[in-house]
Amino acid sequence: MKKFIANSFIILILISFTNLQSKEFCSPDELSVNITETSSAKNSNGEKGNVFVYFDQSLSMKGYVNDQPGLKNVYVNVIDDLQQIAENVGSSTYYHAFGKDIIPIKGSKIAKVIKPSFYECKGAASECNNQESKIELPFKIAKANPDGTYIIVTDLFLSDKQLVGGTLKQLTKPLKSILKKGKSIGIIGVMSSFNGTVYDIPIKDGGSMNYTDAKMRPYYIIVIGDQKHINRIKSNLEEQHFTDPEDEYKFALITSSPILQNLNKNQIISEKNIPKIDKAEGFKFKYVDDVLPIYQFNTGKKFNKKFRIKKDDLIVKGSSGVSEYTLKESLWSSPEVKCKKIDWRKSKFDSISTVTSNEDGLTLNLFKNISDRKKLKLFLGMRYFYFVDVYAEKPGTASEKDFAEWSVRSSDAEGFTQSNPVKFKTLNLTKIIKILNAVSNDTFEKTLVATFVMDFNLLK
C-alpha cells in the first residue's frame, strides 16, 4: 500500500462481509478504509519550544525605522511587540541580527532594532554586517534544529544571483528538509511607511541604482515551525496591529501538508455532502464501524448528483491548498437486491465520476461518465455498489497570485523605479513565492482525504 504522508500514521480498518451483512447493507467484497492523520494535525501539538528571532540588518531596512510624516509606521509598532508575541509561543526566546553573518542580540538590546544606528556601520564596508542579506543562514539553523520556532524579519529584496544555481540550493535544501519533517513556513507581508533608501535595484545595462522617494514599502515576517504556532503569531499581529481598514497585509502558508484532516476520521461526511440525496426513495445513511459512510437509496434512470466537500472542512486555512484531486473507484453490480441472494460482480470500469475544485472546495460529478455509453452503462433493475477514495494529488499555488501586486521583476525594476513610485515593490517576490511553492510540491505526498460508498437500486 502506498505511503501517503511523511510522519503520519495510518489506521487500517478492514470492513468484512460479515460486518456489512445486515438487513440494510451488504458488501460485495472485503473493503479497506485508510484513515490518515496528516502532518499538519500531528505536528500542531501546542508544545512550547524555543523561539529564535532574526532581524535583517541590511542597510535597506533602515528606511522602515524612520517615520514618514502622515503615515503609519507599522514596522516600528510590530517590532515593539514582537518580543511579547514570541514569548506567547515559546518557552525561551533568542534574538539575532543577520546580514553577512548571524550576530546574537541580548534581550536588553532589542530596542536598538528600531533605531537607525542598528543598520549603520562606521567601519570598512567589507567588515560591516549591513552590506548583504544572507537569508539562507537562519534557514540552515532551522533545518538543524526543527523543534524550534523561527521568526525572520526581512524586506525579502533578493537579487537574481541569489535565486539561481548553488545559492538557490542553499535556500531550497534546508526548506525541503523542514517541510519533510512536517513543519510549515508562514509568510506575513506588511505594508509600512518607509523613509530611506532602496539599494541595489538592478538596471538593464548592468550594475544597480538606488531610490530615495518611496514613502511606503512592504516588509515580511517569515515564521518557520508548527502550523499552530504560525497561526497564533499571525492572529496576534492581526489583533494588535492590523485592525484599521487601510492596513495592508498578506499571508501565505507554505506546507507539504495543506490537507486539514481525513474526513472519515471525524465523521465529517454526511447526507449534506450530496444535496437532496435524502429525498430519494428508501434513503438511508450510516457509518459502518464508525469510519465508512454509506448512502443507500433507490433511483431512476436519470441520476444527476454531486458530492461536495467544503474548503474549510478540508484545507488548512491560509495555505495554497490543493490544485488537483484524483479518484480511485470500484463498482459492483448484481441482479439481486436482497443480501441473502446477492452475487456481486465487479465492473472493469475505473473511471466513473469526475472531480473538480474551485475556491469553495471540491465537487464530484457522480457517474458523470454514464453519459458516454462506450465507457459505462448502468442497467435498470440492478443493484449497484460504488466505492470511491478521494485523493489530494498536487498542492496549489494561490499565494503566487496573492503576492503578485507587491512584486517587480528584475527586468522591470529600472522602469518601475523611473516611474517615481510612492509604494516600492519587492524585487523578485513572485519568483521567491514560486520557489517556495516548488519546494512544497517536491515534498508533497499523495493524500487520501475521503472515502464513501453508494449502495443503490436502479429502478425499472
Side-chain angles (χ1 to χ4, degrees), residues 341-364:
K341 297 181 179 181
I342 205 160
D343 180 20
W344 291 112
R345 294 185 180 183
K346 189 173 184 179
S347 167
K348 295 181 180 180
F349 303 109
D350 57 4
S351 179
I352 299 165
S353 302
T354 62
V355 59
T356 57
S357 61
N358 55 33
E359 293 181 357
D360 297 324
L362 68 88
T363 299
L364 274 66

Short mmCIF file of all heavy atoms in Angstrom, two decimals, residues 341-364:
data_model
loop_
_atom_site.label_atom_id
_atom_site.label_comp_id
_atom_site.label_asym_id
_atom_site.label_seq_id
_atom_site.Cartn_x
_atom_site.Cartn_y
_atom_site.Cartn_z
N LYS A 341 -29.32 -13.32 -1.25
CA LYS A 341 -29.16 -13.93 -2.57
C LYS A 341 -28.15 -13.21 -3.45
O LYS A 341 -27.86 -13.66 -4.56
CB LYS A 341 -30.52 -13.94 -3.29
CG LYS A 341 -31.58 -14.79 -2.61
CD LYS A 341 -32.87 -14.76 -3.40
CE LYS A 341 -33.93 -15.63 -2.74
NZ LYS A 341 -35.21 -15.63 -3.52
N ILE A 342 -27.65 -12.15 -2.98
CA ILE A 342 -26.87 -11.27 -3.85
C ILE A 342 -25.54 -11.89 -4.25
O ILE A 342 -24.88 -12.57 -3.46
CB ILE A 342 -26.66 -9.90 -3.18
CG1 ILE A 342 -26.43 -8.81 -4.23
CG2 ILE A 342 -25.50 -9.91 -2.21
CD1 ILE A 342 -26.67 -7.41 -3.70
N ASP A 343 -25.15 -11.69 -5.50
CA ASP A 343 -23.88 -12.17 -6.03
C ASP A 343 -23.24 -11.01 -6.80
O ASP A 343 -23.59 -10.72 -7.94
CB ASP A 343 -24.10 -13.37 -6.96
CG ASP A 343 -22.79 -13.90 -7.55
OD1 ASP A 343 -21.74 -13.60 -6.95
OD2 ASP A 343 -22.84 -14.56 -8.60
N TRP A 344 -22.30 -10.34 -6.12
CA TRP A 344 -21.71 -9.14 -6.71
C TRP A 344 -20.73 -9.50 -7.83
O TRP A 344 -19.93 -10.42 -7.71
CB TRP A 344 -20.96 -8.33 -5.66
CG TRP A 344 -21.83 -7.68 -4.61
CD1 TRP A 344 -21.88 -8.00 -3.29
CD2 TRP A 344 -22.72 -6.59 -4.80
NE1 TRP A 344 -22.76 -7.20 -2.64
CE2 TRP A 344 -23.30 -6.31 -3.55
CE3 TRP A 344 -23.12 -5.84 -5.91
CZ2 TRP A 344 -24.23 -5.30 -3.35
CZ3 TRP A 344 -24.06 -4.83 -5.73
CH2 TRP A 344 -24.60 -4.57 -4.46
N ARG A 345 -20.77 -8.71 -8.89
CA ARG A 345 -19.80 -8.84 -9.98
C ARG A 345 -19.13 -7.47 -10.20
O ARG A 345 -19.81 -6.46 -10.39
CB ARG A 345 -20.49 -9.30 -11.26
CG ARG A 345 -21.05 -10.71 -11.15
CD ARG A 345 -21.61 -11.19 -12.47
NE ARG A 345 -22.14 -12.54 -12.35
CZ ARG A 345 -22.65 -13.23 -13.36
NH1 ARG A 345 -22.71 -12.69 -14.57
NH2 ARG A 345 -23.11 -14.46 -13.15
N LYS A 346 -17.81 -7.49 -10.17
CA LYS A 346 -17.08 -6.23 -10.26
C LYS A 346 -16.96 -5.76 -11.69
O LYS A 346 -16.61 -6.52 -12.59
CB LYS A 346 -15.68 -6.37 -9.64
CG LYS A 346 -14.94 -5.04 -9.48
CD LYS A 346 -13.66 -5.22 -8.71
CE LYS A 346 -12.98 -3.87 -8.49
NZ LYS A 346 -11.73 -4.00 -7.72
N SER A 347 -17.23 -4.47 -11.89
CA SER A 347 -17.10 -3.87 -13.21
C SER A 347 -15.64 -3.65 -13.56
O SER A 347 -14.78 -3.49 -12.69
CB SER A 347 -17.84 -2.52 -13.22
OG SER A 347 -17.51 -1.78 -14.37
N LYS A 348 -15.33 -3.65 -14.83
CA LYS A 348 -13.97 -3.39 -15.29
C LYS A 348 -13.70 -1.90 -15.44
O LYS A 348 -12.56 -1.51 -15.68
CB LYS A 348 -13.74 -4.08 -16.64
CG LYS A 348 -13.81 -5.60 -16.59
CD LYS A 348 -13.56 -6.20 -17.96
CE LYS A 348 -13.61 -7.73 -17.91
NZ LYS A 348 -13.38 -8.33 -19.24
N PHE A 349 -14.70 -1.08 -15.28
CA PHE A 349 -14.53 0.36 -15.46
C PHE A 349 -13.88 1.00 -14.23
O PHE A 349 -14.27 0.72 -13.10
CB PHE A 349 -15.88 1.02 -15.74
CG PHE A 349 -16.58 0.46 -16.92
CD1 PHE A 349 -17.71 -0.33 -16.76
CD2 PHE A 349 -16.11 0.70 -18.20
CE1 PHE A 349 -18.37 -0.86 -17.86
CE2 PHE A 349 -16.76 0.17 -19.30
CZ PHE A 349 -17.89 -0.62 -19.14
N ASP A 350 -12.90 1.85 -14.46
CA ASP A 350 -12.21 2.50 -13.34
C ASP A 350 -12.35 4.02 -13.41
O ASP A 350 -11.71 4.74 -12.65
CB ASP A 350 -10.74 2.11 -13.31
CG ASP A 350 -10.02 2.43 -14.62
OD1 ASP A 350 -10.65 3.02 -15.51
OD2 ASP A 350 -8.83 2.07 -14.73
N SER A 351 -13.14 4.53 -14.34
CA SER A 351 -13.37 5.96 -14.43
C SER A 351 -14.88 6.18 -14.52
O SER A 351 -15.48 6.08 -15.59
CB SER A 351 -12.68 6.55 -15.67
OG SER A 351 -12.92 7.95 -15.76
N ILE A 352 -15.48 6.49 -13.38
CA ILE A 352 -16.94 6.53 -13.28
C ILE A 352 -17.44 7.94 -13.03
O ILE A 352 -18.34 8.42 -13.70
CB ILE A 352 -17.40 5.58 -12.15
CG1 ILE A 352 -16.95 4.15 -12.49
CG2 ILE A 352 -18.91 5.66 -11.94
CD1 ILE A 352 -17.00 3.19 -11.33
N SER A 353 -16.82 8.63 -12.07
CA SER A 353 -17.18 10.01 -11.74
C SER A 353 -16.03 10.94 -12.10
O SER A 353 -14.91 10.50 -12.37
CB SER A 353 -17.53 10.13 -10.26
OG SER A 353 -18.59 9.26 -9.90
N THR A 354 -16.30 12.23 -12.08
CA THR A 354 -15.25 13.22 -12.32
C THR A 354 -15.12 14.11 -11.09
O THR A 354 -16.06 14.23 -10.30
CB THR A 354 -15.56 14.09 -13.55
OG1 THR A 354 -16.79 14.82 -13.31
CG2 THR A 354 -15.71 13.25 -14.80
N VAL A 355 -13.97 14.74 -10.93
CA VAL A 355 -13.74 15.60 -9.77
C VAL A 355 -13.16 16.93 -10.24
O VAL A 355 -12.26 16.97 -11.09
CB VAL A 355 -12.81 14.93 -8.73
CG1 VAL A 355 -11.46 14.58 -9.34
CG2 VAL A 355 -12.64 15.80 -7.50
N THR A 356 -13.68 18.02 -9.71
CA THR A 356 -13.19 19.37 -10.00
C THR A 356 -13.07 20.13 -8.68
O THR A 356 -13.71 19.79 -7.69
CB THR A 356 -14.14 20.13 -10.94
OG1 THR A 356 -15.45 20.18 -10.36
CG2 THR A 356 -14.22 19.46 -12.30
N SER A 357 -12.27 21.19 -8.68
CA SER A 357 -12.11 22.00 -7.48
C SER A 357 -12.14 23.48 -7.84
O SER A 357 -11.81 23.87 -8.96
CB SER A 357 -10.79 21.66 -6.77
OG SER A 357 -9.69 21.93 -7.61
N ASN A 358 -12.55 24.30 -6.87
CA ASN A 358 -12.54 25.74 -7.04
C ASN A 358 -12.31 26.38 -5.67
O ASN A 358 -11.90 25.70 -4.72
CB ASN A 358 -13.85 26.23 -7.66
CG ASN A 358 -15.07 25.78 -6.88
OD1 ASN A 358 -15.04 25.64 -5.66
ND2 ASN A 358 -16.18 25.54 -7.59
N GLU A 359 -12.58 27.67 -5.56
CA GLU A 359 -12.31 28.38 -4.31
C GLU A 359 -13.19 27.91 -3.16
O GLU A 359 -12.86 28.13 -1.99
CB GLU A 359 -12.50 29.88 -4.53
CG GLU A 359 -11.47 30.50 -5.47
CD GLU A 359 -11.68 31.98 -5.65
OE1 GLU A 359 -12.66 32.52 -5.09
OE2 GLU A 359 -10.86 32.62 -6.34
N ASP A 360 -14.32 27.29 -3.47
CA ASP A 360 -15.24 26.85 -2.42
C ASP A 360 -14.95 25.44 -1.91
O ASP A 360 -15.41 25.06 -0.83
CB ASP A 360 -16.69 26.91 -2.93
CG ASP A 360 -17.12 28.32 -3.27
OD1 ASP A 360 -16.70 29.25 -2.56
OD2 ASP A 360 -17.85 28.49 -4.26
N GLY A 361 -14.21 24.65 -2.68
CA GLY A 361 -13.93 23.28 -2.29
C GLY A 361 -13.84 22.38 -3.50
O GLY A 361 -13.42 22.81 -4.57
N LEU A 362 -14.25 21.13 -3.35
CA LEU A 362 -14.21 20.22 -4.49
C LEU A 362 -15.57 19.57 -4.70
O LEU A 362 -16.38 19.46 -3.78
CB LEU A 362 -13.12 19.17 -4.33
CG LEU A 362 -13.25 18.09 -3.25
CD1 LEU A 362 -14.02 16.89 -3.78
CD2 LEU A 362 -11.87 17.62 -2.81
N THR A 363 -15.80 19.15 -5.95
CA THR A 363 -17.07 18.56 -6.33
C THR A 363 -16.83 17.30 -7.16
O THR A 363 -16.05 17.32 -8.10
CB THR A 363 -17.91 19.55 -7.17
OG1 THR A 363 -18.17 20.72 -6.39
CG2 THR A 363 -19.23 18.91 -7.59
N LEU A 364 -17.50 16.23 -6.75
CA LEU A 364 -17.53 15.01 -7.56
C LEU A 364 -18.82 15.00 -8.35
O LEU A 364 -19.91 15.07 -7.76
CB LEU A 364 -17.46 13.75 -6.69
CG LEU A 364 -16.08 13.23 -6.28
CD1 LEU A 364 -15.38 14.20 -5.35
CD2 LEU A 364 -16.22 11.86 -5.62
#
